[in-house]
Amino acid sequence: MITLGIETSCDETSIALLDNEKILVNTIYSQKEHSKYGGVVPELASRAHLDKIDRLARYCFDSTGISPADIELIAVTDCPGLAGALLVGISFALGMHKGWNIPVTGVNHLEGHICSVLLENKKIEFPFLALIVSGGHTALYRVETLDDFYCLGETVDDAAGEAFDKVGKMLGFSYPAGGSIEKEAAKYEENKTETPVFPVARCSQGAFHFSFSGLKTAVKYFIAGKEHTELMHIRPAICYAFQQSIAEALIANAQSASNQTGIKRLVLVGGVACNNNLRQRFYNEFQGDVFIPPSNLCTDNAAMIALAGYLRFKRNKLRRPKMSPNKTL
Ligand code: KG4
Ligand code: ZN
């Protein structure tokens, strides 16, 4: 069964084709339009999606020899995300539905991220914990089945990726800054200088919420008044300490949730899960089995959306695309 996946919720335009659960092609255009603004500009995102979506779809068909007549399902991200950006993907899906009479299902972006781990690890026993760490979201779910997601905690302010991007901007990196901070932090480990100490927000007993705005402010005060040369000298140490604080908060919360629920399986997904230091720390420190998709499937992509739609189709749970701020799945 061929499924076409469409993802346009933020600043990645992505179209994928799956044959059952196997990826045939997963094209991703990461929009460069936002780099100088330090964050995503919604109007630019919608226009860039409009500009690229048709070309990406054509590439998928040309490179696989599959034609629209072969597609049995279209899965499109319909929430949460930037309204104008989502509308480009949804309109494209509905156009193909009208033209080729293909069923369409809406997919929650977070459901897609959770399913990204199933593209490689086909067998993960339920229930499991899912920690989504991206630019727009940081949330911990207890996943009973692919129809039952319970939010155990989420960020009360910035998402982890948002903190990477905002701190990166303060340190002179362009958007998105997560990868640059990771590279800069790696330099510190080679050439040790004095390490700043940044706070790790902890929530009260029994709650699994996250908070990263205090950490961001701590970095802001730490670098205030420093001259450019000095800042460049200590930048690797700042990146290292910042990255450690983020990792501490994520691991501590995931471990507490595991202790409290007794669930010993954890999946880590979303763009921040590309971070090798974070991946390694989770593998080493979480007391249980950790599943993390390869980096190209951690960031936004249509293959994960196609898989979520395909698995829903198999469970007979298709849903009409809708536009709603469905935060808790
Ligand atoms: O999942 P994603 O592609 O988009 C959202 O759904 O938000 O995640 C993008 C986020 C950005 O904030 C980016 O800075 C972050 O993932 N990111 C990283 C790394 N690579 C991407 N954060 C830390 N380390 C990385 N290597
Ligand atoms: Zn995402």
Side-chain angles (χ1 to χ4, degrees):
M1 173 173 160
I2 304 293
T3 304
L4 177 83
I6 303 174
E7 160 60 41
T8 63
S9 66
C10 192
D11 58 342
E12 258 89 28
T13 317
S14 180
I15 305 271
L17 286 170
L18 293 195
D19 182 0
N20 292 338
E21 298 174 22
K22 182 170 171 274
I23 300 175
L24 297 178
V25 60
N26 188 20
T27 59
I28 304 170
Y29 171 69
S30 295
Q31 301 177 356
K32 311 286 178 294
E33 286 76 354
H34 314 284
S35 58
K36 62 178 175 208
Y37 299 103
V40 179
V41 182
E43 174 74 14
L44 295 182
S46 308
R47 289 179 185 278
H49 288 309
L50 265 179
D51 185 45
K52 294 291 183 306
I53 195 164
D54 186 54
R55 268 180 267 180
L56 294 185
R58 277 176 203 283
Y59 177 82
C60 286
F61 296 135
D62 292 348
S63 63
T64 58
I66 283 170
S67 87
D70 302 319
I71 297 171
E72 287 172 68
L73 177 69
I74 298 170
V76 59
T77 306
D78 62 356
C79 66
L82 301 170
L86 288 167
L87 272 173
V88 176
I90 294 171
S91 306
F92 193 83
L94 294 178
M96 289 204 58
H97 163 71
K98 196 84 181 148
W100 296 89
N101 201 21
I102 310 166
V104 179
T105 186
V107 169
N108 183 302
H109 183 75
L110 303 184
E111 176 190 359
H113 270 303
I114 291 173
C115 285
S116 68
V117 78
L118 304 174
L119 284 162
E120 295 281 318
N121 287 289
K122 303 273 186 287
K123 298 215 181 328
I124 302 178
E125 248 178 73
F126 292 101
F128 58 79
L129 299 174
L131 179 55
I132 304 174
V133 278
S134 71
H137 311 273
T138 295
L140 185 61
Y141 286 88
R142 174 192 175 117
V143 183
E144 290 292 333
T145 72
L146 287 182
D147 293 311
D148 305 298
F149 302 89
Y150 300 99
C151 186
L152 299 173
E154 60 187 338
T155 181
V156 295
D157 40 57
D158 292 341
E162 192 180 355
F164 267 97
D165 297 333
K166 288 179 175 167
V167 164
K169 188 178 177 190
M170 292 178 210
L171 296 174
F173 298 115
S174 60
Y175 173 88
S180 309
I181 289 188
E182 180 179 359
K183 284 200 196 97
E184 191 75 355
K187 289 185 199 162
Y188 165 79
E189 292 182 87
E190 289 160 19
N191 176 21
K192 293 211 185 272
T193 49
E194 205 177 313
T195 325
V197 177
F198 295 133
V200 178
R202 300 226 186 270
C203 288
S204 54
Q205 195 69 29
F208 304 109
H209 295 307
F210 302 89
S211 169
F212 298 108
S213 69
L215 169 60
K216 186 185 65 186
T217 309
V219 177
K220 184 178 166 192
Y221 284 128
F222 184 81
I223 64 177
K226 294 212 169 19
E227 300 220 333
H228 183 73
T229 325
E230 188 193 354
L231 182 59
M232 289 304 113
H233 178 65
I234 55 166
R235 196 166 71 167
I238 297 172
C239 291
Y240 176 83
F242 167 79
Q243 192 173 261
Q244 293 301 329
S245 290
I246 296 255
E248 291 293 338
L250 296 174
I251 294 169
N253 243 0
Q255 189 60 56
S256 310
S258 168
N259 296 346
Q260 189 166 307
T261 59
I263 300 173
K264 302 277 178 226
R265 285 171 293 279
L266 175 95
V267 311
L268 180 69
V269 293
V272 179
C274 292
N275 188 289
N276 287 306
N277 178 269
L278 185 70
R279 297 167 81 91
Q280 219 42 59
R281 287 198 58 182
F282 261 97
Y283 285 130
N284 294 342
E285 296 172 36
F286 181 80
Q287 292 158 23
D289 295 326
V290 176
F291 304 89
I292 313 176
S295 291
N296 63 320
L297 299 175
C298 287
T299 45
D300 290 350
N301 68 88
M304 67 186 193
I305 304 302
L307 183 68
Y310 168 77
L311 295 175
R312 186 101 64 63
F313 180 88
K314 303 270 279 182
R315 302 195 304 280
N316 220 357
K317 291 263 167 85
L318 293 192
R319 78 161 201 242
R320 288 165 64 89
K322 57 180 184 179
M323 293 277 297
S324 76
N326 183 355
K327 272 176 72 180
T328 51
L329 302 188

